[in-house]
Amino acid sequence: MHVVYPGSFDPFTNGHLDVVRRASRLFDKVTVAVLHNPNKLSSFMFSVGERMQIIRASVADMDNVEVDAFDGLLADYMRARGARIIVKGLRAVSDYEYELQMAHLNRQLNPEVETLFILAATRWSFISSSMIKEIARHGGDVSRFVPEPTLKALNAHFGRSGEG
């Protein structure tokens, strides 16, 4: 069965990687679908291409995972890809409230689509992309929160060398 894990992934964290890894053990094929929203280009740290490159490098050991980009409605992307299951990671109750609304909307827009939630592993449940960006922006060490390809991209973005 083919599932889609959509998101902006700006940047891709160990929490994201954990969801991908767990989904890849449950399903035959996982597509990590990177959101391309031209209306929000200024709010993204990395371009769609950069995010896709980071994710591909991070999931290189998983043969059944592919990385793609999409814009527009996720329900339409699912239809075009012939996929019927959306996978989303949940960290907290606040995530659930938002994702529940999105799941209902996607089901209304494409009745063939189901949304499955994977609970974040406890050790990653407090990590968000926006927090990682903020810590990295101020020179903090994010090496334990992101995969190596993300760390390298963050260091390059902020003109730093080294691991942390």
Side-chain angles (χ1 to χ4, degrees), residues 134-153:
E134 191 65 17
I135 294 167
R137 183 176 289 115
H138 292 287
D141 179 8
V142 296
S143 62
R144 70 190 128 194
F145 307 126
V146 298
E148 185 66 26
T150 301
L151 183 61
K152 287 180 180 178

Side-chain angles (χ1 to χ4, degrees), residues 124-144:
W124 309 126
S125 63
F126 61 92
I127 297 173
S128 71
S129 292
S130 58
M131 288 178 188
I132 295 300
K133 284 192 273 195
E134 191 65 17
I135 294 167
R137 183 176 289 115
H138 292 287
D141 179 8
V142 296
S143 62
R144 70 190 128 194

Side-chain angles (χ1 to χ4, degrees), residues 38-96:
N39 296 327
K40 293 187 176 184
L41 285 180
S42 63
S43 66
F44 289 122
M45 178 174 284
F46 298 110
S47 71
V48 171
E50 289 168 324
R51 287 180 273 155
M52 290 176 69
Q53 183 178 16
I54 291 165
I55 297 166
R56 281 190 183 113
S58 299
V59 303
D61 64 324
M62 293 177 254
D63 293 335
N64 63 334
V65 176
E66 69 176 12
V67 181
D68 194 17
F70 78 101
D71 60 8
L73 296 175
L74 177 58
D76 292 339
Y77 177 78
M78 298 293 291
R79 191 176 290 111
R81 291 300 307 261
R84 296 178 55 191
I85 298 176
I86 299 168
V87 170
K88 294 296 290 190
L90 294 179
R91 295 169 299 168
V93 172
S94 58
D95 285 349
Y96 176 75

